[in-house]
Structures are given as C-alpha cells and as structure tokens.
Amino acid sequence: MASYNVKLLDYGGTRQIRRYGANITKKESEYVEQYDMEYTPDGGYVMKKRRMVDVTPKQKRQSDDYTKEEKEKIISERPEFWKEKKLRENTNRAKGKIYEIARANVWEWFITLTFNPQIVNSTDYDRVKCVTSDFFHAMRKKYAPDLKYLIVPEFHLDGKKYHFHGILSNIGDMPMHDSGLTFNSKVVYNLQTWRFGFSTATQVTDTRKVASYITKYITKELCVVTDGRHRYLNSSNCERPKVYEYNMSSEEYFESLEGVYDNIGYMKTIKIPYTKNKVEYIEIDDF
C-alpha cells in the first residue's frame, strides 16, 4: 500500500500544498476485465467491447480511522457520533471535489437559477437536476459549444425545495438581459433562455474567491436528502488540478519550501473533525 503526508495541487498559476500530521494510506490500483454484452433474439449474447476497469477501493485514510475494536465500541455506545462522522466525511468529500474543479478553471459568471412550482416541482431533486442538466446541454448545442459550467444545488430553509447556483465561462452567444439592478456594484443580468423560473447572473472578478464561495451551499442537510446521488453538475471540458503526492520527512518538506517563501499568500492549519489527523494548507501564487 502507498502512503503520503504531503499533497500538491497545481491549479495552473496557483498551487496549494497540504501537509498532513499523520500519513494517508491508500490501496494500490486494481484492474479487472469487464465485458459489455448485447443480447440476441434467441436469448444468447455477444461481446461488444472488452476493457480493463479500475476497481480500486475508495481511498482509505488509515491514520484517520479508528481501529476495528474502537469502531465497534463507538458504533455500539455512541451511534450518533459515528453517524455524524460519516456524514461529515461525505460532506467534505463533495465540497473537496467541487472546490478542486472550481479552482482549476477561470470563471466569468456567477448564476442563480430558481424554479416556478407551476412549471417544475422544485421539491423533486432528481427532476430539477435533470431539467438543469438538459438546459446546459441545450445551451452548448445552440449558443456556446465551449461553454464551461459547474452547478451546485442549494436546499431551501423550508426543508423541501431546491434551487441551483453555478459558475460559467465561455458563454458564447447565450443571451443575457440587463435587469436594471445592481448587487455589490455589479450589474445583475437575467438568463433569457431560462424558462423554468427566475435567474440572475453577475460577473466574476476573483476565481479563487468564487471557488470557495460556491462550496458553502454543500451542507450536511443537503447531503442527507441527496444521499446516493450526484451533488453537482459540471461540463466535460472543465479542467482538473494536477495532483502530486509525496512522503516527506520534516527536513525534506521545509527544504522544498525554500524556493517559494516569497510566493506564499496564505497558511492555515486545521484539525480534521472526527478524525485523529490535522492538515496544514499553504497557498502559493506563481504569477
């Protein structure tokens, strides 16, 4: 099994270093043969395609986990603690994926999309997600073939309805209408092609800030009601950060920082909730 205690994420122009207090251990990749079958009228089948599929188990943070005995005791004596721990892990995992996509791309617009209940049942998450996904596919086909988008849901305080927030770039000829309103000195536009409810759009001035901001909509409450479902939508042309993992001694780690001290813009160390680990974050600006 491989392990690391330092992770470098290269977002193109900026980098983020994460140094963990205890090693992260994960299983090596494992591949199996998989066949796609097409059934024939006589009840048989023919092989259409053959490929190798990565079936590596999800990354296991061995240093964060409790021993088998500790886990069994906690589940037996403190079931609510264990439930909250797993919920927090799911929430943080979703936030992390969204943040990394958001940071790795340059965004131009921040949007909000709501649903008119007479047109779309906004309490049906699968329905509103499908409507929103179809809308952006249509926009790429008709107005903006290079459109990039990252869309996340927000769960209303009433505990029933959903709406969406998102960030866009390369909007091509998508029609925007000046609403005549401003917010934080920015002109508020409406997406004229959004026919399912109300919409707003404002121009993004800081991609890093908007990357942090958009993750705030992923709450524990949202993760409970969307359990087992995708919690964000993104176009296939979104960039991902380049990720590098290292196992370093303290001496090696500080030596590796010697050439970038002047470019460090932010440092913070936090304890990872419900685990035995902590992580130090360092932001490096290369431009």
Side-chain angles (χ1 to χ4, degrees):
M1 291 190 293
S3 69
Y4 65 91
N5 61 351
V6 176
K7 178 183 284 190
L8 170 65
L9 295 98
D10 186 344
Y11 293 108
T14 64
R15 290 177 288 170
Q16 184 184 79
I17 296 173
R18 302 175 186 176
R19 184 193 187 202
Y20 298 89
N23 276 33
I24 306 299
T25 303
K26 62 181 184 180
K27 295 184 178 180
E28 301 289 356
S29 294
E30 180 182 351
Y31 293 86
V32 298
E33 292 183 339
Q34 187 176 85
Y35 300 86
D36 287 343
M37 297 180 293
E38 184 177 86
Y39 288 91
T40 59
D42 61 2
Y45 61 84
V46 294
M47 296 295 184
K48 282 188 64 181
K49 191 182 298 183
R50 178 180 176 179
R51 60 183 180 274
M52 298 297 290
V53 179
D54 187 354
V55 293
T56 306
K58 290 183 178 179
Q59 178 171 307
K60 178 184 178 183
R61 295 193 168 184
Q62 189 172 22
S63 58
D64 293 350
D65 289 347
Y66 293 85
T67 64
K68 181 179 179 180
E69 292 75 17
E70 289 175 328
K71 177 180 176 180
E72 291 175 348
K73 183 176 180 180
I74 292 172
I75 292 175
S76 173
E77 299 178 359
R78 303 169 61 194
E80 290 304 314
F81 173 89
W82 195 258
K83 181 179 178 181
E84 180 68 18
K85 169 181 164 63
K86 304 311 291 184
L87 177 57
R88 180 68 69 97
E89 289 174 353
N90 289 338
T91 304
N92 289 343
R93 188 178 300 114
K95 284 187 172 185
K97 290 179 179 179
I98 291 167
Y99 179 81
E100 289 180 6
I101 295 174
R103 272 290 300 274
N105 294 272
V106 176
W107 304 102
E108 300 166 356
W109 296 89
F110 179 88
I111 65 169
T112 298
L113 305 173
T114 66
F115 299 91
N116 182 338
Q118 295 181 344
I119 302 175
V120 180
N121 179 6
S122 59
T123 65
D124 185 338
Y125 179 71
D126 292 325
R127 177 58 180 158
V128 295
K129 184 164 66 72
C130 182
V131 166
T132 305
S133 179
D134 288 347
F135 170 78
F136 283 104
H137 283 300
M139 292 301 98
R140 295 190 78 184
K141 186 175 181 179
K142 187 173 183 179
Y143 296 107
D146 298 320
L147 176 67
K148 282 187 181 183
Y149 60 84
L150 175 60
I151 311 295
V152 300
E154 181 177 11
F155 195 39
H156 281 252
L157 292 176
D158 64 8
K160 298 178 181 179
K161 297 188 290 293
Y162 302 88
H163 63 267
F164 285 86
H165 300 278
I167 40 184
L168 313 177
S169 61
N170 306 335
I171 68 169
D173 296 323
M174 284 179 62
M176 293 281 191
H177 173 69
D178 187 339
S179 69
L181 303 174
T182 60
F183 179 74
N184 288 340
S185 301
K186 296 179 181 179
V187 176
V188 178
Y189 295 85
N190 303 124
L191 280 69
Q192 290 181 261
T193 48
W194 180 255
R195 308 295 187 185
F196 308 101
F198 185 68
S199 68
T200 62
T202 55
Q203 291 184 303
V204 172
T205 56
D206 189 322
T207 291
R208 186 184 298 184
K209 285 183 179 180
V210 82
S212 297
Y213 183 78
I214 200 167
T215 63
K216 80 181 186 71
Y217 299 109
I218 306 300
T219 63
K220 292 188 295 182
E221 292 75 19
L222 176 71
C223 288
V224 169
V225 296
T226 58
D227 187 40
R229 306 174 198 168
H230 288 292
R231 299 187 177 104
Y232 61 93
L233 303 169
N234 67 275
S235 56
S236 59
N237 60 343
C238 284
E239 300 290 340
R240 289 335 195 255
K242 295 178 180 177
V243 181
Y244 306 90
E245 297 169 351
Y246 308 93
N247 200 330
M248 293 184 173
S249 66
S250 294
E251 182 179 2
E252 290 171 331
Y253 175 69
F254 287 112
E255 284 181 357
S256 71
L257 294 179
E258 288 181 358
V260 298
Y261 280 122
D262 292 340
N263 298 88
I264 293 177
Y266 175 83
M267 296 180 66
K268 184 178 182 180
T269 300
I270 64 170
K271 182 184 183 302
I272 304 175
Y274 295 92
T275 73
K276 302 175 182 179
N277 211 343
K278 63 180 180 180
V279 57
E280 175 184 73
Y281 293 91
I282 298 179
E283 293 283 353
I284 300 174
D285 297 324
D286 295 321
F287 52 78

